[in-house]
């Protein structure tokens, strides 16, 4: 069974540009989460989808971040315009409907804003 | 708000010994507490979950304890091996009914020397 995949693995952009990160969860996992780890800090929750609906987006830093999950399959996280403090590793995770606590993480996308 | 403290940033022990990692939290008792392993360049991997009404959970060479009075969890790896070298993360649920939004500690980097 394929795990959670994320694309790209690395992205280097300039301040003010736009970047879109993609996450493909494990098939059949209704729950999809985005997390972020900035340098030297712990992994922090951004938001949670149940199928295509946003269940909890309390961790989104500001309105420059937009997450979508059309059709309840893959998800995208867009940062527009990117700022220096957005640099970090963005993780996606998914979990089964009945075992939401057991989250499977992707390898992450390392975003560097220069 | 809930804070998690993991006892040390790094722990270095001899192969064959038992590694013990500590996770302390400061506020409400979570419904469950989890431990993850993270290797460089990879996402966290779920290892064990222990619920608030459980005192101990085992899985192969891993053992987790949960003391809600002390607000502490201990994570043990017995007969440690160099392959156990990684960063270990403690994570708690947020106490909400959905219990799927988790917060992470900053991790303890464990090194097992041959």
């Amino acid at each position: 069974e394929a795990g959670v995949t994320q694309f790209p693995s690395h992205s280097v952009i300039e301040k003010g540009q736009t970047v879109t990160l993609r996450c493909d969860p494990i098939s059949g996992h209704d729950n999809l989460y985005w997390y972020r780890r900035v340098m030297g800090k712990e992994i922090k929750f951004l938001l949670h989808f149940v199928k295509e609906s946003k269940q909890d987006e309390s961790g989104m830093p500001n309105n420059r971040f937009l997450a979508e999950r059309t059709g309840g399959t893959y998800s995208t996280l867009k940062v527009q315009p990117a700022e220096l403090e957005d640099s970090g590793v963005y993780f996606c995770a998914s979990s089964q409907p009945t075992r939401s606590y057991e989250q499977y993480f992707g390898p992450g996308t390392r975003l560097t804003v220069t | 708000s809930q804070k998690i403290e993991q006892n040390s940033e790094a722990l270095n022990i001899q192969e064959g010994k038992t590694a013990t990692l500590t996770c302390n939290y400061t506020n409400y008792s979570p419904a469950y507490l989890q431990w993850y392993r993270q290797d460089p360049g990879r996402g966290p991997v779920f290892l064990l979950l222990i619920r608030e009404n459980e005192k101990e959970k085992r899985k192969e060479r891993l053992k987790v304890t949960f003391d809600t009075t002390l607000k502490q969890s201990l994570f043990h790896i017995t007969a440690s091996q160099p392959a156990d070298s990684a960063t270990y993360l403690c994570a708690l649920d947020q106490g909400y009914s959905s219990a799927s939004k988790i917060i992470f500690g900053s991790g303890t980097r464990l090194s097992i020397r041959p």
Side-chain angles (χ1 to χ4, degrees):
Chain A
E1 179 184 299
V4 176
T5 58
Q6 293 187 245
F7 181 83
S9 56
H10 292 86
S11 180
V12 181
I13 62 171
E14 292 183 355
K15 177 182 171 181
Q17 290 186 320
T18 297
V19 64
T20 300
L21 313 181
R22 173 172 169 142
C23 168
D24 285 80
I26 293 172
S27 177
H29 283 196
D30 288 349
N31 294 298
L32 187 148
Y33 312 83
W34 283 99
Y35 293 87
R36 176 174 77 169
R37 185 173 207 163
V38 297
M39 183 69 74
K41 302 280 190 180
E42 63 275 11
I43 296 171
K44 289 220 164 144
F45 169 87
L46 296 179
L47 90 160
H48 170 207
F49 283 99
V50 177
K51 297 185 180 178
E52 66 276 8
S53 300
K54 290 177 186 172
Q55 178 79 8
D56 182 347
E57 53 184 328
S58 61
M60 295 288 263
N62 51 60
N63 59 10
R64 294 186 293 103
F65 289 75
L66 175 65
E68 294 180 321
R69 191 182 183 193
T70 307
T73 55
Y74 70 90
S75 174
T76 58
L77 180 64
K78 180 191 288 188
V79 185
Q80 179 182 31
E83 298 288 345
L84 298 178
E85 64 265 24
D86 300 333
S87 296
V89 182
Y90 290 76
F91 292 104
C92 175
S94 69
S95 65
Q96 295 179 28
T98 54
R99 292 171 68 90
S100 61
Y101 51 81
E102 190 172 329
Q103 299 183 17
Y104 293 81
F105 281 75
T109 293
R110 180 173 295 279
L111 174 65
T112 303
V113 183
T114 62
Chain B
S1 62
Q2 183 75 284
K3 289 198 189 313
I4 302 174
E5 292 177 1
Q6 295 195 237
N7 60 326
S8 57
E9 283 191 23
L11 185 63
N12 193 323
I13 68 167
Q14 183 75 39
E15 180 178 7
K17 301 289 187 185
T18 295
T20 298
L21 284 62
T22 304
C23 173
N24 294 288
Y25 56 93
T26 58
N27 205 345
Y28 60 84
S29 283
Y32 59 83
L33 184 148
Q34 302 177 60
W35 285 89
Y36 286 78
R37 168 182 173 141
Q38 187 173 22
D39 291 282
R42 295 179 177 265
V45 174
F46 173 82
L47 295 175
L48 277 170
L49 176 147
I50 187 164
R51 300 185 185 278
E52 61 179 335
N53 59 347
E54 297 174 316
K55 293 216 180 305
E56 183 178 298
K57 185 74 74 75
R58 290 175 186 261
K59 178 182 177 183
E60 298 172 353
R61 292 184 296 110
L62 309 180
K63 184 178 86 171
V64 172
T65 63
F66 193 6
D67 188 327
T68 55
T69 302
L70 293 178
K71 296 189 176 181
Q72 181 180 82
S73 174
L74 298 179
F75 176 79
H76 306 274
I77 305 176
T78 58
S80 60
Q81 304 166 2
D84 296 326
S85 298
T87 295
Y88 291 86
L89 306 169
C90 170
L92 310 178
D93 72 281
Q94 289 279 53
Y96 300 153
S97 58
S98 68
S100 58
K101 177 179 176 180
I102 57 177
I103 56 173
F104 284 88
S106 55
T108 296
R109 190 171 63 253
L110 177 65
S111 297
I112 310 296
R113 59 182 187 275

